[in-house]
Amino acid sequence: MLDGNVLAGSLAEVWALDVTVATGRCAGCADVAVLARAVVFDHPMGQVVRCRGCGGVLMVVVERPDGVQVSARGLAWVRG
């Protein structure tokens, strides 16, 4: 288990902001926190980003040969 700081490289390809200081709101519990506080489970197939408050999935990040694919359904919003 890692923290949200590991997302800096992966998501830099998708979003032009430093995700370690970006703020997001969990769509499940409405917790607002910097993404660096999120709990990240790293797997060879990708990263699962979970809310530190409720454990809900915030994002799934998959690095593919043709680019990075991100599902952020668990985030109500992200602010840089």
Side-chain angles (χ1 to χ4, degrees), residues 3-52:
D3 68 23
N5 287 298
V6 301
L7 299 171
S10 305
L11 293 181
E13 293 183 35
V14 178
W15 291 324
L17 58 92
D18 180 356
V19 295
T20 63
V21 296
T23 302
R25 179 177 179 206
C26 176
C29 71
D31 182 50
V32 175
V34 292
L35 292 180
R37 290 198 61 235
V39 178
V40 179
F41 293 90
D42 201 16
H43 187 275
M45 293 179 66
Q47 298 163 321
V48 176
V49 183
R50 293 186 171 270
C51 174
R52 189 169 295 278

Side-chain angles (χ1 to χ4, degrees), residues 50-76:
R50 293 186 171 270
C51 174
R52 189 169 295 278
C54 71
V57 175
L58 298 173
M59 290 188 293
V60 177
V61 181
V62 178
E63 293 186 46
R64 301 167 38 116
D66 59 343
V68 177
Q69 184 173 351
V70 178
S71 170
R73 297 178 121 190
L75 283 168

